[in-house]
Amino acid sequence: MAGLTEDHPQIGIDDIIDGSEQKLNEDIVERESGGGAREMAPPAGNSIHRSGSRPQLDLSKAAIQGNFEERDPTILLPNQSDDISHLALDIGGSLIKLIYFSRHEDRSVKDRRKKFLEEKIGVSNGIRRSYPILGGRLHFVKFETAKINECLDFISSKQLHRGGMDAHDWNSDAPDNENAVIKATGGGAHKFADLFKERLGVSIEKEDEMNCLVAGANFLLKAIRHEAFTHMEGQKEFVQIDQNDLFPYLLVNIGSGVSMIKVDGDGKFQRVSGTNVGGGTYWGLGKLLTKCKSFDELLELSQRGDNRTIDMLVGDIYGGMDYSKIGLSASTIASSFGKAISENKNLEDYRPEDISLSLLRMISYNIGQISYLNALRFGLKRIFFGGFFIRGHAYTMDTISFAVHFWSKGDAQAMFLRHEGFLGALGAFMSYEKHGLDDLMVHHLVERFPMGAPYTGGKIHGPPLGDLNEKISWMAKFVQKGTEITGPVPMASPRTTGLGGFEVPSSKGATLRSDASNLNVGVLHLVPTLEVFPLLADPKIYEPNTIDLAEQGELQYWFTVLSEHLPDLVDKAVASEGGTDDAKRRGDAFARAFSAHLARLMEEPAAYGKLGLANLLELREECLREFQFIDAYRSIKQRENEASLAVLPDLLMELDGMNEETRLLTLIEGVLAANIFDWGSRACVELYHKGTIIEIYRMSRNKMQRPWRVDDFDVFKERMLGSGDEKPHPHKRALLFVDNSGADVVLGMLPLARELLRRGTEVVLVANSLPALNDVTAMELPDIVAEAAKHCDILRRAAEAGGLLVDAMINSQDVNKENSSSVPLMVVENGCGSPCIDLRQVSSELAAAAKDADLVILEGMGRALHTNFNAQFKCDALKLAMVKNQRLAEKLIKGYIYDCVCRYEPASS
């Protein structure tokens, strides 16, 4: 498992290097069949037909491309022909919605240690399927239907119709597949079929539009954590829906017209109603009445409109008074466009802005009311609205929500979808028989928000940027012009003026906040080896984020912290790449891209889904990786590790001279003291300039004064040592979630791990899959342990038993009896590359290691405070951290910077 952005393939590179081509083919077939092919009964009703077939990799004549000494050489699969299931489209009257799949790069490392570990802890294929799913990414792209040639050029440039660039590179001389087929839905699938054949040489296989809408909605609602949200009076709140309680619901798809679909399950639905008054009505009448040239232009006009000049309100009829007897306020619309009857005015006498707003409200209210009446008819409480009429437009969503709330008296909820316009395309994509995506769970998909295309003022300019040089060049050119890089600007919250209606929404720079930007819909990373951490007491109520960024001033504070830290981070990142001109260009581009993300989220915090501090910190790391800064603190970590390892023997000798009780306290003090080393903390960065790493560690240890701000040490001591003559049984297996490199892991966590090993507890060190700041990674940790083991027999025997030193041995079977009887010390990846950790998405090897664990130790601010401070576990849990942020100290523990947290929680009942 290589983290959230990469995924292990089902096949190791070593297998091909060994030349075992035949065995490899046999393994693939066996893995896919699971000992027998999974047969799927033909579904009943209106569901999309899927056969039981699964992708078969053709590995004949597989060969290494390039230098055999390369760490991750490219493998050529010249006879692979799985080139028809990577692209699907929904071609509507105004927009083309395109979804395509790209494989993850292979960055797996199948060394002997990893194989040894997998055998030791019994790692499965993660999701325990009887067939493999290749890791990859789902991309979402939009084009105007009028500019269909741009869409065709985009498909051709990326070779999507031939399986993507990666598939094409396998055999660039291979002839085109004359029988290639791509799935499409929408009216354009019929209208433009000949054009696709002429330009791309592919046939379009048309999928039923209603089938696709429902399949796409069901997939999103089951597989994306923060997909659905409510929108009332400008406030967006995400709704997490229990998969077991998803059905039935009403799906209202607002396109040119409106379809209302009662969905009872996967493939079980019926269209129960609809209306011909929809997006086409708004656009058609708006074009006639205002002379606007586009739908977006019409929406933008509405931002500056005042419908009171043209709508007849209750107050107009009753002399400015409410009609309180029947519950109608003076601001309620009595008749849309009603004032035009009594006023002696022509069309040109009315402002286009007012006409646009009145028209938008009329249609939105009408759709909301009819939707609720159909929900009432079938006893449905939830109504999901989709379709590109909405376009993320705050005023439209508020109007629909108000109508549903008003007519249902609060009993029904209008909910919207972030991928609202891609339902049909996603359903078409899933209709391929080969994907097997229909039973993916929410933890298998991770959404990322790359700087995917040039965008200004909420409008996309051209197709997505796929090439890093294009991205950097565009940003440099854009910045030279002195134009601010911004995302779409959200509207200020509309305010209710009474039971009936809304005041005119204010706007910032007359810019429409819509869903036009690719930054509102990210790339879905499919990582089939992610699992839910099995030791969570209740995964359904687990919330990783401790800090609520929705609180007043909280978001502004953390944005300021990240912005102020940015110059130092860029310097470290550029230095990690040798300070080259290329690194400086990428560093500058990263800084501008991340600043654009921050500006976007400051305007609308919910633009990317529910925003927590963990998401914000992870966004920064992903943005670094996007501009190819793989490990910004590489040299710093190496230097700190060497300095700490040099003094480790003296520390271990000191610990061995103590009695049991003193040693345990000293070990916990050591973990807390060593946790001071954190390049993500401004306060700690200042310390680095005042002394060496060892001086700071000793100073920190000497200042450990109990009681700490959160101090459960005595309870933990009793569990470990017992009281009186009663000696408790040792823990069977402990998972130690480690934090920073250097003193933190070497002088803090390794000595604690050693103590647990001494007591007969198996120890699993859990580290990041990918770098984040100066956090130690699972790739680096075995070398650190191996170096430490040179000076300690306990660590050496445990490391050998756990496979950490297996590469240094002639054969793992030759481990002597003394070592084989030792409890093992192991290292596993946590599945992420962030200073924080979301335990709803961890690596399959960590999930496997957790099954026999009865103690979890979370160390560091990111893992134990920013996230998981309130997490409850089925086993004993110890949370250790030094607080290095004053804001966090005040909010979380009512304390001060450098206060310590030692929180022990026995196994949850």
Side-chain angles (χ1 to χ4, degrees), residues 519-536:
L519 284 176
N520 274 47
V521 176
V523 175
L524 290 181
H525 289 246
L526 168 58
V527 191
T529 51
L530 288 179
E531 297 194 35
V532 177
F533 189 59
L535 293 177
L536 286 174

Side-chain angles (χ1 to χ4, degrees), residues 650-662:
D650 291 338
L651 174 61
L652 297 182
M653 190 179 299
E654 178 188 346
L655 289 165
D656 289 342
M658 300 175 180
N659 64 42
E660 200 172 39
E661 186 172 329
T662 304

Side-chain angles (χ1 to χ4, degrees), residues 11-12 20 132 136 144 169 197 259 299 335 340 419 454 488 492 543 577 579 602 749 753 839 860-861:
I11 310 150
S20 51
E144 290 181 35
D169 288 344
K197 189 69 174 178
S259 285
L299 266 184
S335 175
H419 294 78
E543 167 56 47
E577 302 284 333
M602 197 64 215
M749 292 300 275
L839 294 173
M861 282 210 309

Side-chain angles (χ1 to χ4, degrees), residues 225-461:
R225 182 163 281 115
H226 297 135
E227 176 63 30
F229 61 91
T230 60
H231 203 290
M232 283 287 284
E233 299 190 14
Q235 298 301 311
K236 179 186 285 186
E237 289 189 15
F238 288 93
V239 180
Q240 187 55 39
I241 298 164
D242 186 346
Q243 288 197 28
N244 298 320
D245 191 37
L246 173 59
F247 306 109
Y249 66 85
L250 187 70
L251 176 62
V252 180
N253 190 66
I254 313 173
S256 298
V258 182
S259 285
M260 297 176 187
I261 308 159
K262 180 175 177 281
V263 183
D264 293 302
D266 289 319
K268 299 175 183 176
F269 63 88
Q270 63 178 124
R271 186 181 187 275
V272 294
S273 187
T275 171
N276 57 351
V277 179
T281 312
Y282 177 57
W283 173 211
L285 282 175
K287 185 178 179 183
L288 291 173
L289 296 173
T290 68
K291 310 301 181 187
C292 282
K293 298 293 190 294
S294 71
F295 190 97
D296 283 332
E297 185 185 352
L298 187 63
L299 266 184
E300 198 156 349
L301 268 184
S302 73
Q303 301 299 124
R304 305 187 295 275
D306 182 353
N307 69 298
R308 290 171 298 185
T309 66
I310 195 168
D311 287 342
M312 183 182 294
L313 308 182
V314 168
D316 295 326
I317 301 173
Y318 290 91
M321 303 292 289
D322 296 338
Y323 189 173
S324 54
K325 186 176 180 179
I326 60 173
L328 295 178
S329 71
S331 62
T332 303
I333 299 175
S335 175
S336 294
F337 289 87
K339 276 188 182 173
I341 301 170
S342 57
E343 293 178 339
N344 188 23
K345 291 182 180 179
N346 296 316
L347 177 61
E348 57 270 16
D349 296 323
Y350 290 99
R351 294 171 66 234
E353 293 90 335
D354 302 338
I355 293 173
S356 176
L357 182 61
S358 178
L359 191 59
L360 178 62
R361 290 185 61 170
M362 178 183 77
I363 292 169
S364 298
Y365 274 142
N366 185 256
I367 292 171
Q369 182 179 9
I370 296 174
S371 299
Y372 165 67
L373 291 174
N374 275 283
L376 179 66
R377 178 181 162 205
F378 293 101
L380 306 175
K381 296 293 185 183
R382 284 196 297 255
I383 310 171
F384 295 102
F385 291 86
F388 261 115
F389 168 74
I390 299 168
R391 303 200 183 193
H393 187 214
Y395 197 90
T396 304
M397 291 187 289
D398 269 344
T399 307
I400 291 173
S401 295
F402 181 84
V404 171
H405 185 270
F406 176 81
W407 291 106
S408 71
K409 293 182 171 58
D411 286 345
Q413 257 188 330
M415 286 182 280
F416 305 92
L417 305 172
R418 285 197 303 112
H419 294 78
E420 60 188 16
F422 288 95
L423 302 185
L426 191 52
F429 185 83
M430 292 178 62
S431 69
Y432 286 106
E433 295 177 346
K434 296 185 177 183
H435 283 321
L437 298 179
D438 42 321
D439 56 349
L440 281 178
M441 303 293 284
V442 65
H443 51 271
H444 299 142
L445 287 161
V446 183
E447 192 169 16
R448 298 284 180 244
F449 296 90
M451 194 62 62
Y455 69 109
T456 57
K459 295 185 182 297
I460 287 289
H461 297 273

Side-chain angles (χ1 to χ4, degrees), residues 150-168:
E150 285 186 8
C151 177
L152 294 169
D153 290 341
F154 177 76
I155 293 172
S156 180
S157 68
K158 285 189 171 291
Q159 293 290 296
L160 298 180
H161 57 307
R162 299 184 64 190
M165 296 298 289
D166 48 356
H168 188 51

